[in-house]
Amino acid sequence: MGFMICIGLIVRLAEYLNTTGSARWQEFGITQNYFDRGGIFMGIMVCAPLLMVCLCMLIHMIREASNLLKDVTQMKHTAKSRQKAKKEEGKKKKDEKKNSTAGPRRSQRTNKKKD
């Protein structure tokens, strides 16, 4: 995040850097003044590459966020299916307990009535 802030500051200060370069181009040891009024030199040589890097970073972050979102939704679905399976398993166990405890009692009652 700090890297993007630095890039943003450099791009924002490009106009100031261009005017400074225009005033002091001879001190840089170049033979021609590349720093024009419109700031095209700074825009092409400094800002464009930095903005392309920011664009690539943004695309990467969006991809990563979408992958994380997919993972989270998949984890939610698996948690719901596990919870549903546990509920069904619990119901089956309750039904088995009811059936196992109810079975002998009925047979004992019928045996007592027959005697």
Side-chain angles (χ1 to χ4, degrees):
M1 189 69 172
F3 183 69
M4 290 187 75
I5 292 172
C6 289
I7 290 174
L9 287 173
I10 291 170
V11 170
R12 180 69 180 116
L13 293 174
E15 183 181 354
Y16 172 75
L17 294 173
N18 189 56
T19 55
T20 304
S22 179
R24 299 181 178 185
W25 64 273
Q26 293 171 343
E27 294 174 18
F28 296 133
I30 54 177
T31 58
Q32 190 176 4
N33 185 7
Y34 294 106
F35 305 99
D36 57 340
R37 283 187 178 181
I40 296 195
F41 177 76
M42 288 296 288
I44 291 173
M45 299 305 286
V46 175
C47 296
L50 291 176
L51 290 175
M52 291 301 292
V53 168
C54 284
L55 180 65
C56 291
M57 289 173 62
L58 179 66
I59 290 170
H60 177 71
M61 286 182 196
I62 289 172
R63 277 189 186 164
E64 189 68 27
S66 68
N67 288 338
L68 289 174
L69 185 61
K70 288 177 188 176
D71 291 344
V72 167
T73 53
Q74 185 179 11
M75 291 171 70
K76 282 184 180 180
H77 288 299
T78 54
K80 281 183 181 181
S81 63
R82 286 181 187 167
Q83 191 177 24
K84 189 176 180 180
K86 283 184 181 180
K87 281 184 180 180
E88 288 177 0
E89 188 178 311
K91 285 182 182 180
K92 286 181 183 179
K93 285 183 180 180
K94 283 183 181 180
D95 290 343
E96 287 175 3
K97 282 185 179 181
K98 285 181 182 179
N99 291 338
S100 66
T101 55
R105 287 185 185 169
R106 288 184 187 165
S107 62
Q108 288 174 355
R109 287 182 193 167
T110 55
N111 291 342
K112 286 182 182 178
K113 289 182 183 178
K114 289 182 183 179
D115 291 336

